[in-house]
Amino acid sequence: MLDELSGVRDRGAVLEVASVGKVYATKGGQTEALRDITFSVGQGEFVCIVGPSGSGKTTLLKCIAGLLSPTSGEARFSGRRIGEPPEGLAVVFQEYGRSLFPWMSVAANVGLALKPMGLAKAECQGRVIEALRAVGLEHVSQSYPWQLSGGMQQRVAIARAVASQPRLLLMDEPFAAVDAQTRAELEDLVRRLWHQFGMTILFVTHDVDESVYLGGRVLVLSGAPTVIQENLEVDLPDVRDQLTTRRMERFVELRAHVYEQIQLAKRRNVAAGGT
Amino acid sequence: MKRTIRATGYTFALPCVLFGLWWALAQHSQSYFLPDPVKVVKMVPSVWGGPRLTEDVLPSLRRLVAGLGMAIIVGVAAGIPLGTYRKAREVFEPLLEFLRAVPSTVLAPILLLIVGINDWMKIDVIALGCAWPILLNTIEGVRSIDEVMADTAEILRLRRWRRLWYLVLPGAMPRIMAGIRQSLSIGLILMLVSEMFAASNGLGFAVVQFQRIFAIPQMWSGILLLGALGFVIAWIFGRLEKRVLRWYFGLKETTSAG
């Protein structure tokens, strides 16, 4: 199954991850977080990465974002090797409260993404308003982020990511810290923005339901040291709805399948005496 | 409204009591050195309002402001690289610890020799003493900038000056302001000491002058004025701090409430 992913370099891919491995040097020796990760994400895809806790999801995402350098292999963005955070890539972090700058208004936070692009002021303002409107927050543009609820803060972070019109949007368990109601709303929001802006999204989560509901494809990670355990096409209709989609027989099947894979990963992890 | 009155009451209750106590003591005291406080207060405008305002009070304030300004610039400018690079910290920290332990008052005679008896000597003494709390707080403030925010700045490709302006300076600002607050009182002390040591004008010079000619009530009026000055400076700074760190106090309030 992995053969179709590895090896040949796909020219149409936005992101190619080739044999990426990451070994941390720790006090007690070395910890192998990622062993050999290979996959690629094509233009306009919505791919979810799901894995048990401690499977190095965040490490992988940081390697892709250019925040960490892998110890082996490489990640390529539009064909170029990722060294430092490249232009055209945006990230939404889990910790919205620590990712927005509390000393700036909502609008200024969103506008921050446009600073290095050297756009004209009017163009910047236009894009900020457009991005805030897209997440339904144009009415709080002059508030400080900490004056908003958690869900709203994460929307601001999403608006900031969207404003730069990225070719690839990475999301690192973005909804892990919000309540279920808000989470459902934000999931639908991300699906809508994906359609609206034609972005490519790589979405990391530990939530099986979320990965199947959101993605067009789900990559299941094994426990550490991590490899890709499965690459699963999500053959659900493109238009998704919290009620009808989640009730579909196919959804329930896919969900059960991914869940089994995760359990398998966990068991293997325990059997291997993994950390 | 009622609350403001009560708050004002709390603020001024103790000073009023102490002032009353001083007054009562002075009524029964024969001591030449403990004058009637009412007399001293009445003396403040006549002693300090005339030519002494431009000859002593304003030069002192000028030195204080210049010294503080220099300390802020030096402290923040040196604190940012030291807070950013661990290597730099490791090299400089022992030296800084030693230099900090040297009381800046002792630098007055040395600077007197190097710089000479002029305004710059006093400004340098004030700046040298005030720079430490600002420097150390800036280092700590820069070092403790949130990791996720730093990652965010990376991803947003905010580099160099943009990073400094949008992330590092505002992120370290609460600590920088705390450092400046500490340096205010140090600055006032050093201003006085340097003027007592070698000067031909200034508040410190005038107070010592009064003491030498046994103009005791005048001397006391200078001390009162200095106290009031310290109070006013702290108050102005408090207002400034509230303005600059509006986001910080607001954030603290919401996190403690939630």
Side-chain angles (χ1 to χ4, degrees):
Chain A
M1 185 175 302
L2 290 176
D3 291 339
E4 58 190 272
L5 293 167
S6 56
V8 210
R9 215 171 122 182
D10 182 357
R11 293 226 169 258
V14 173
L15 174 72
E16 296 155 280
V17 177
S19 306
V20 162
K22 178 74 185 174
V23 179
Y24 288 108
T26 52
K27 268 184 190 161
Q30 293 187 322
T31 308
E32 189 180 19
L34 304 175
R35 173 155 286 172
D36 183 357
I37 308 270
T38 299
F39 67 92
S40 67
V41 179
Q43 173 69 44
E45 262 199 287
F46 195 141
V47 177
C48 289
I49 293 183
V50 65
S53 55
S55 62
K57 296 188 290 282
T58 299
T59 304
L60 175 60
L61 196 110
K62 281 192 167 175
C63 286
I64 295 170
L67 293 171
L68 277 178
S69 41
T71 32
S72 60
E74 64 174 29
R76 286 186 294 267
F77 175 56
S78 299
R80 273 215 205 122
R81 186 170 191 276
I82 297 168
E84 52 184 18
E87 202 183 332
L89 181 140
V91 180
V92 174
F93 293 95
Q94 180 186 333
E95 305 95 334
Y96 47 81
R98 292 164 60 198
S99 143
L100 298 170
F101 294 170
W103 45 83
M104 289 179 174
S105 71
V106 165
N109 264 290
V110 174
L112 214 48
L114 308 172
K115 287 281 185 235
M117 302 171 95
L119 300 171
K121 208 175 170 190
E123 164 93 25
C124 273
Q125 282 173 341
R127 281 221 209 168
V128 168
I129 293 166
E130 187 196 7
L132 282 173
R133 196 171 289 150
V135 300
L137 285 182
E138 67 271 34
H139 59 289
V140 293
S141 65
Q142 292 314 310
S143 305
Y144 284 109
W146 41 266
Q147 291 170 320
L148 310 177
S149 69
M152 284 165 101
Q153 287 183 40
Q154 196 55 296
R155 277 172 198 246
V156 177
I158 292 169
R160 183 177 62 192
V162 165
S164 63
Q165 301 180 353
R167 265 168 294 151
L168 176 63
L169 174 60
L170 303 177
M171 304 186 87
D172 184 14
E173 304 202 28
F175 311 143
V178 296
D179 60 273
Q181 184 68 44
T182 312
R183 184 179 193 137
E185 280 168 21
L186 289 172
E187 284 168 1
D188 289 337
L189 173 73
V190 168
R191 284 287 298 187
R192 206 179 66 232
L193 293 174
W194 175 60
H195 279 222
Q196 189 179 337
F197 292 94
M199 289 175 294
T200 307
I201 299 182
L202 185 62
F203 190 106
V204 172
T205 179
H206 65 264
D207 186 311
V208 174
D209 282 59
E210 189 168 76
S211 69
V212 174
Y213 180 73
L214 283 177
R217 191 149 62 93
V218 175
L219 300 171
V220 182
L221 296 184
S222 71
T226 308
V227 296
I228 292 197
Q229 188 167 304
E230 190 175 16
N231 172 30
L232 181 75
E233 288 291 332
V234 178
D235 47 359
L236 291 170
D238 193 36
V239 177
R240 297 186 192 175
D241 176 73
Q242 292 287 351
L243 275 179
T244 51
T245 306
R246 282 179 193 272
R247 242 188 257 150
M248 279 177 181
E249 210 175 307
R250 186 63 188 143
F251 178 86
V252 178
E253 275 170 28
L254 287 167
R255 183 194 167 279
H257 180 78
V258 174
Y259 187 79
E260 271 168 22
Q261 287 293 320
I262 301 266
Q263 292 308 310
L264 195 67
K266 278 189 190 162
R267 272 204 300 280
R268 272 193 199 143
N269 198 23
V270 172
T275 44
Chain B
M1 185 63 196
K2 217 170 171 182
R3 242 169 103 187
T4 16
I5 293 173
R6 190 183 287 176
T8 326
Y10 282 134
T11 310
F12 289 103
L14 191 59
C16 286
V17 169
L18 289 177
F19 192 82
L21 215 64
W22 177 9
W23 180 81
L25 271 171
Q27 296 309 305
H28 299 96
S29 166
Q30 302 304 313
S31 171
Y32 176 66
F33 300 109
L34 190 69
D36 183 342
V38 179
K39 220 168 90 190
V40 173
V41 170
K42 274 187 185 156
M43 208 166 248
V44 171
S46 63
V47 173
W48 302 102
R52 280 195 185 279
L53 181 69
T54 50
E55 276 159 35
D56 290 316
V57 181
L58 288 183
S60 281
L61 283 176
R62 256 204 311 271
R63 288 165 194 151
L64 181 63
V65 169
L68 270 171
M70 221 158 104
I72 293 170
I73 293 169
V74 170
V76 173
I80 285 171
L82 285 172
T84 310
Y85 304 109
R86 202 166 53 94
K87 281 267 155 56
R89 255 196 323 273
E90 278 166 8
V91 171
F92 279 96
E93 212 137 61
L95 180 71
L96 292 181
E97 286 298 327
F98 171 77
L99 288 177
R100 189 172 66 126
V102 177
S104 14
T105 42
V106 90
L107 294 172
I110 301 165
L111 280 170
L112 176 75
L113 290 176
I114 300 171
V115 187
I117 305 182
N118 54 30
D119 268 2
W120 280 111
M121 169 238 152
K122 283 134 210 146
I123 292 169
D124 289 347
V125 170
I126 295 168
L128 271 171
C130 292
W132 295 113
I134 300 173
L135 175 70
L136 296 173
N137 273 288
T138 305
I139 292 175
E140 217 25 63
V142 171
R143 194 160 59 160
S144 58
I145 281 176
D146 192 283
E147 252 174 82
V148 179
M149 286 186 197
D151 278 352
T152 303
E154 277 276 295
I155 292 291
L156 296 175
R157 298 159 59 80
L158 300 172
R159 311 246 160 94
R160 291 158 179 274
W161 295 108
R162 285 203 186 96
R163 187 186 145 87
L164 180 71
W165 185 249
Y166 294 114
L167 172 72
V168 177
L169 267 182
M173 198 47 85
R175 291 300 299 262
I176 293 175
M177 290 307 263
I180 295 175
R181 177 178 280 284
Q182 285 173 32
S183 71
L184 287 180
S185 48
I186 297 173
L188 202 62
I189 292 168
L190 289 176
M191 176 195 89
L192 279 171
V193 170
S194 66
E195 286 173 353
M196 285 172 172
F197 193 80
S200 51
N201 65 356
L203 272 165
F205 169 78
V207 168
V208 170
Q209 198 73 355
F210 283 136
Q211 181 240 348
R212 283 188 185 146
I213 60 170
F214 290 98
I216 299 304
Q218 282 86 342
M219 183 193 84
W220 276 104
S221 75
I223 293 169
L224 266 187
L225 181 70
L226 277 165
L229 211 62
F231 185 84
V232 169
I233 289 171
W235 182 79
I236 292 173
F237 180 78
R239 302 287 300 215
L240 191 77
E241 192 179 36
K242 263 208 180 116
R243 228 193 151 96
V244 173
L245 296 181
R246 207 166 81 86
W247 65 268
Y248 179 69
F249 295 120
L251 176 68
K252 258 196 350 198
E253 222 167 83
T254 49
T255 39
S256 63

